Amino acid sequence: MRIVDQRALPEDHVTRDLDTAEQMVEAIRTLQVRGAPLIGIAAAMGLVAGLRELRAAPREPFLTRLDALAAQLGATRPTAVNLRWALDRMVSVAHATSGDGGVVWERIQAEAAAIWEEDRAMCRRIGECGLALLPDGAKVLTHCNAGALATGGIGTALAPIYLAHDAGRQLHVFVGESRPVLQGSRLTAWELTHAGIPCTVIADAAAGALMRAAQVDLVLVGADRIARNG
């Protein structure tokens, strides 16, 4: 598993190869990997990697180890919704699959790949749904990081921005610095700059003044949870 160590951005682009579930536990815990969708994908992949050496094991020892690794991965970021969701899905599929360790491992490997592909497709769909909100010349305010660095695709809240840019629309994005971890100034600004999308990093406290000056047409942000009434 190859990840971008997000702690090093924007000064350095550092990739790391992870071979074990324990390495993925550390990567998630220390924010080398972050963003709710990406954490879920990474945990699923970490579970697969952690069980690779047990493919020849009988069913029960394999499942016992799977449950233990899932618990370790799940404890890294207890508030990350996608983390628990992805691990529960992987564990459920494993226990519902008949056969020994090798058969179950093949099944969870396919499930992890499906979780990644579903997220990629959802990101694209979010972008398509939000594209109508971004006319040519739109000035957008965003906060934190909900782009490709946080997902398995082109992002959630940033997806419409990427598709609008690809469609030739001229946009300008104001990026809140997002204290205390500075995901906006470190990550979102890095993403947008590398994509060729004009952006300006602002202090979080400046957002209100920017809106009051009519410099913001819309705000796009990511969220871990959405209320039923929107």
Side-chain angles (χ1 to χ4, degrees):
M1 302 169 290
R2 178 165 295 173
I3 65 166
V4 174
D5 187 343
Q6 298 189 30
R7 300 171 303 178
L9 294 171
E11 289 84 2
D12 295 305
H13 186 270
V14 177
T15 59
R16 300 190 187 281
D17 291 327
L18 309 182
D19 299 316
T20 68
E22 288 77 13
Q23 288 175 331
M24 185 59 78
V25 165
E26 182 68 7
I28 296 173
R29 187 184 65 80
T30 59
L31 300 182
Q32 296 175 51
V33 173
R34 49 145 299 280
L38 185 59
I39 288 173
I41 295 166
M45 294 293 181
L47 195 60
V48 173
L51 292 162
R52 185 188 298 112
E53 300 303 320
L54 286 178
R55 283 174 290 179
R59 176 181 177 80
E60 290 309 316
F62 183 92
L63 292 178
T64 297
R65 179 60 175 160
L66 178 142
D67 291 341
L69 289 178
Q72 290 180 37
L73 287 159
T76 54
R77 295 284 300 278
T79 61
V81 178
N82 291 60
L83 174 62
R84 189 71 265 164
W85 167 82
L87 289 171
D88 286 347
R89 175 170 164 177
M90 293 285 286
V91 170
S92 178
V93 164
H95 282 268
T97 300
S98 301
D100 59 14
V103 174
V104 179
W105 187 85
E106 293 289 344
R107 181 65 184 86
I108 63 171
Q109 183 186 41
E111 195 68 17
I115 289 172
W116 189 349
E117 177 57 27
E118 288 167 17
D119 188 73
R120 186 200 64 77
M122 283 190 287
C123 287
R124 182 79 187 184
R125 183 60 180 147
I126 289 171
E128 292 168 349
C129 289
L131 190 56
L133 300 173
L134 292 166
D136 191 41
K139 294 171 288 188
V140 186
L141 173 65
T142 189
H143 188 75
C144 199
N145 175 255
L149 286 170
T151 70
I154 59 173
T156 52
L158 292 191
I161 294 173
Y162 281 124
L163 294 189
H165 176 71
D166 290 345
R169 299 178 193 177
Q170 300 300 310
L171 308 174
H172 192 94
V173 183
F174 293 101
V175 181
E177 57 187 344
S178 312
R179 289 180 179 271
V181 185
L182 302 176
Q183 297 99 319
S185 60
R186 291 193 306 107
L187 305 179
T188 297
W190 182 86
E191 273 197 46
L192 295 174
T193 298
H194 277 259
I197 300 172
C199 64
T200 301
V201 174
I202 64 168
D204 292 337
L210 205 62
M211 293 179 186
R212 187 173 184 178
Q215 293 300 305
V216 175
D217 297 313
L218 73 158
V219 179
L220 291 176
V221 293
D224 284 330
R225 296 169 177 84
I226 304 296
R228 185 183 297 273
N229 64 0

